[in-house]
């Protein structure tokens, strides 16, 4: 059993560093999933503009002074929540005692969420966003000289798609953030409110909140992603964590957890996501 027992009381345990979830900054929960495992999102079409026929020459069975009458299209995008994940572990009462309380159920559960559950959910959501992004140009080798121009391409693409400028987020990995800091063209605004810093925002660039995540939480060769939260629905349908003290057959604590979640990039808003892959330098 891989447990190191202490001979001297230690009031702390070395913790592995793990950031909190960042997905809430790039996604939304606009659709209700309670009581259903599948959601259908309507995609409503629009009508073309035409010149108003003041003389009435176009009126009749198939038209009117306003133009030819047609049916407004309405289709649906269906998504079932697929990720149903769980974990469990036991902390023996004697192990807890002989490790000076270092093996304690509440802190162990918090550590499990921080270091295992949150990174898994973030990785899945960011992967789905990269896959469903409305704009995915060919991979480029990002450098300090071209990083700003590549980011401008992303913001231009969102501008042309008429994506709201307010609320856009620039997601980067540490290596790319270093390139941004080295760029002569980029001036990062570090005057960020404490509430946003607590959520993971580290700076601001051209009105976008800049969020840095570990490369472990994004696809391989991730460069950067510019996204507006309106594009991705990321529901957590169930998050159930509990600790049982001395359940039948166990002298100690039994910890169990279950989380049901998923991510859906909306077809009619996928242009609000721009994903740039970073090609390794030759």
């Amino acid at each position: 059993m891989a447990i190191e027992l202490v001979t001297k009381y230690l009031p702390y345990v070395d913790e592995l560093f793990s950031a909190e979830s960042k997905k809430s900054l790039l996604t939304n929960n606009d659709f209700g999933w309670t009581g259903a495992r599948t959601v259908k999102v309507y995609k409503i079409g629009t009508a073309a503009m035409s010149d108003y026929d003041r003389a009435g020459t176009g009126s009749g069975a198939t038209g009117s002074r306003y133009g030819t009458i047609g049916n407004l299209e309405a289709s649906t995008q269906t998504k079932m929540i697929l990720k149903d994940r769980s974990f469990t572990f036991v902390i023996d009462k004697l192990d807890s005692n002989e490790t000076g309380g270092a093996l304690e159920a509440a802190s162990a559960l918090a550590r499990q969420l921080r270091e295992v559950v949150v990174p898994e959910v973030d990785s899945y959501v960011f992967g789905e966003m990269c896959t469903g992004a409305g704009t995915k140009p060919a991979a480029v080798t990002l450098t300090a000289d071209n990083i700003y121009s590549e980011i401008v391409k992303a913001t231009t693409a969102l501008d042309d798609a008429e994506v709201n400028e307010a609320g856009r987020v620039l997601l980067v990995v540490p290596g790319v953030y270093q390139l941004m800091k080295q760029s002569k063209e980029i001036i990062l605004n570090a005057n960020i409110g404490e509430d946003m810093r607590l959520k993971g925002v580290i700076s601001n660039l051209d009105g976008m909140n800049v969020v840095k995540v570990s490369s472990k939480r994004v696809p391989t060769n991730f460069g950067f992603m510019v996204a507006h939260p309106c594009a991705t629905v990321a529901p957590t349908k169930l998050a159930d964590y509990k600790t049982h003290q001395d359940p039948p057959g166990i002298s100690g604590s039994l910890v169990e957890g279950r989380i049901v979640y998923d991510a859906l990039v909306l077809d009619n808003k996928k242009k609000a996501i721009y994903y740039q892959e970073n090609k390794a330098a030759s």
Side-chain angles (χ1 to χ4, degrees):
M1 185 165 56
I3 298 175
E4 296 183 8
L5 306 183
V6 299
T7 57
K8 179 181 178 181
Y9 175 73
L10 296 177
Y12 61 89
V13 176
D14 288 335
E15 295 282 359
L16 296 174
F17 176 81
S18 183
E20 298 297 331
S21 175
K22 306 295 194 305
K23 76 179 181 74
S24 62
L25 293 166
L26 291 93
T27 62
N28 69 77
N29 285 291
D30 291 347
F31 299 97
W33 299 66
T34 303
R37 197 136 179 220
T38 301
V39 66
K40 289 186 177 181
V41 181
Y42 277 96
K43 297 181 292 182
I44 307 299
T46 56
M49 297 292 288
S50 62
D51 292 329
Y52 181 77
D53 185 8
R54 187 175 180 181
T57 57
S59 59
T62 60
S64 72
R65 297 190 180 195
Y66 291 91
T68 302
I69 301 174
N71 291 325
L72 200 63
E73 295 182 356
S75 58
T76 59
Q77 181 180 357
T78 303
K79 177 67 174 179
M80 174 180 286
I81 299 181
L82 300 176
K83 304 296 287 185
D84 191 349
R85 305 281 284 164
S86 61
F87 64 85
T88 183
F89 56 85
V90 168
I91 298 178
D92 187 270
K93 192 172 293 184
L94 194 58
D95 290 337
S96 178
N97 177 270
E98 294 181 346
T99 55
L103 279 175
E104 192 269 328
S107 61
L109 175 57
R111 190 179 307 114
Q112 174 75 15
L113 298 179
R114 192 170 59 249
E115 298 177 7
V116 180
V117 177
V118 167
E120 176 184 303
V121 174
D122 274 11
S123 296
Y124 177 80
V125 172
F126 294 150
E128 290 295 293
M129 293 178 69
C130 291
T131 300
T135 306
K136 292 186 286 186
V140 297
T141 301
L142 297 175
T143 66
D145 294 327
N146 70 4
I147 182 63
Y148 185 61
S149 62
E150 294 299 328
I151 293 175
V152 169
K153 291 179 183 178
T155 57
T156 300
L158 266 66
D159 288 343
D160 288 339
E162 299 186 339
V163 177
N164 195 338
E165 292 187 38
R168 294 182 188 179
V169 177
L170 171 60
L171 186 71
V172 298
V173 291
V176 172
Y177 187 64
Q178 289 303 314
L179 296 178
M180 293 171 61
K181 293 176 71 175
Q182 296 166 17
S183 172
K184 297 178 181 179
E185 299 176 286
I186 292 180
I187 299 177
L188 294 169
N189 180 7
N191 187 21
I192 304 298
E194 185 63 23
D195 57 333
M196 297 305 293
R197 287 191 181 278
L198 292 175
K199 294 180 179 180
V201 177
I202 57 175
S203 59
N204 188 283
L205 176 64
D206 293 347
M208 297 183 293
N209 286 329
V210 180
V211 176
K212 181 176 62 175
V213 296
S214 166
S215 56
K216 296 178 181 178
R217 297 196 187 186
V218 290
T220 304
N221 299 324
F222 182 94
F224 65 84
M225 178 166 59
V226 175
H228 193 283
C230 71
T232 308
V233 183
T236 298
K237 182 174 174 61
L238 175 68
D240 185 25
Y241 310 111
K242 48 197 172 184
T243 301
H244 308 277
Q245 187 63 41
D246 296 324
I250 295 175
S251 173
S253 301
L254 171 65
V255 180
E256 297 174 322
R258 182 184 181 192
I259 182 168
V260 182
Y261 66 94
D262 216 312
L264 169 65
V265 176
L266 302 174
D267 286 341
N268 58 347
K269 294 184 178 178
K270 62 184 179 181
K271 285 294 184 179
I273 303 177
Y274 183 108
Y275 169 53
Q276 177 62 65
E277 184 178 348
N278 188 12
K279 182 170 66 175
S282 58

